[in-house]
Amino acid sequence: MLNEEIIRLLFSLLGGGIAVAILNWIRLNTAELRERKINFLDLQLERLYGPLYYFVCQCEKLFELNKKWDDAYCKEYIGKEWSQDTNTQKAISKEASDIIELRNTYIAEVEKNNENIKEILNNNYAYIDKDDIDTFTLFYEHYIRRKIELDNEGKLKPPIRCYQEVGNISFLRPEFITRVKGRFLQKKEELEKFRR
């Protein structure tokens, strides 16, 4: 009888010890998994989504400046009746050309940022979320089309009919900007929740 009680006591102690060991193992694995997730989110933000966010925000501002100058150009020059005097026509033509050149300079900055964006994507592809792959690949498609289908002055190389069949080239698609900004903010929020 005493032996049976000792055996029961041993089983209950061992059973409780095993349960505690299992609970400790689960707790440690959960903490380790949480820490790995935090580290991965940190790396995603530091190496991919943070730098992309920085450059797309710059591009948004450049597009806004380009649009403001376009609006000013249209307001001042489109549909206006100017004197046909040669000096007046030369002055107006020069002013209009200067504004167009200014607008093109802002777009050239967008293209420089696109170079940076491409490098970030190339160097940090392992941090791209699976559902961002199509959006980022489309960015590359437009990036490479600009390099191949346009000459150094930005003029189209292929015939316009064929170009229209293939589709327009974007400097930086709005969907890309929206996706990067949304993903950056989502990951920042997710990281903050993990750290609470």
Side-chain angles (χ1 to χ4, degrees):
M1 191 123 162
L2 187 59
N3 286 339
E4 285 179 18
E5 288 179 19
I6 292 174
I7 291 172
R8 280 191 209 144
L9 180 62
L10 282 173
F11 274 130
S12 67
L13 286 175
L14 286 176
I18 290 172
V20 168
I22 289 171
L23 288 175
N24 280 338
W25 180 80
I26 290 171
R27 187 178 53 79
L28 287 173
N29 278 341
T30 303
E32 185 180 307
L33 184 63
R34 183 176 176 272
E35 193 60 36
R36 280 194 305 225
K37 182 67 175 169
I38 288 171
N39 289 339
F40 187 72
L41 280 169
D42 269 336
L43 288 171
Q44 277 188 308
L45 284 166
E46 178 187 322
R47 296 183 182 176
L48 181 69
Y49 290 100
L52 289 177
Y53 181 81
Y54 175 71
F55 284 113
V56 299
C57 287
Q58 284 183 5
C59 289
E60 270 189 321
K61 290 299 175 193
L62 293 165
F63 285 136
E64 287 172 16
L65 287 167
N66 179 278
K67 174 81 169 89
K68 286 178 183 178
W69 281 106
D70 182 53
D71 291 346
Y73 174 86
C74 290
K75 181 180 176 186
E76 293 300 319
Y77 298 101
I78 302 297
K80 298 260 175 133
E81 296 286 329
W82 298 96
S83 166
Q84 295 305 309
D85 174 63
T86 305
N87 289 334
T88 301
Q89 289 299 311
K90 280 183 182 178
I92 296 302
S93 179
K94 168 99 171 79
E95 288 176 6
S97 293
D98 288 346
I99 291 175
I100 291 169
E101 187 175 323
L102 180 66
R103 289 184 56 217
N104 290 339
T105 302
Y106 287 119
I107 295 303
E109 288 299 313
V110 169
E111 291 193 76
K112 287 179 189 174
N113 279 351
N114 285 350
E115 291 288 333
N116 293 323
I117 290 169
K118 182 186 83 63
E119 286 305 310
I120 291 165
L121 291 172
N122 284 350
N123 294 331
N124 298 288
Y125 63 88
Y127 298 108
I128 297 173
D129 283 348
K130 185 175 153 183
D131 53 342
D132 290 337
I133 292 170
D134 289 342
T135 302
F136 292 175
T137 303
L138 187 57
F139 164 82
Y140 178 75
E141 177 185 324
H142 284 262
Y143 167 85
I144 202 66
R145 284 189 65 202
R146 288 195 62 73
K147 293 282 185 192
I148 293 172
E149 297 174 26
L150 302 178
D151 67 15
N152 291 338
E153 295 173 6
K155 293 182 182 163
L156 194 60
K157 291 178 188 176
I160 189 71
R161 294 175 314 283
C162 294
Y163 170 79
Q164 289 171 336
E165 192 66 33
V166 174
N168 290 334
I169 301 171
S170 175
F171 287 101
L172 189 60
R173 296 177 60 81
E175 302 85 33
F176 183 84
I177 293 171
T178 302
R179 175 70 93 164
V180 167
K181 289 176 73 177
R183 190 64 78 194
F184 172 78
L185 296 173
Q186 172 199 353
K187 292 198 174 294
K188 289 286 278 185
E189 187 177 312
E190 191 177 347
L191 189 59
E192 287 171 15
K193 283 181 185 174
F194 270 116
R195 289 191 165 148
R196 286 183 199 151

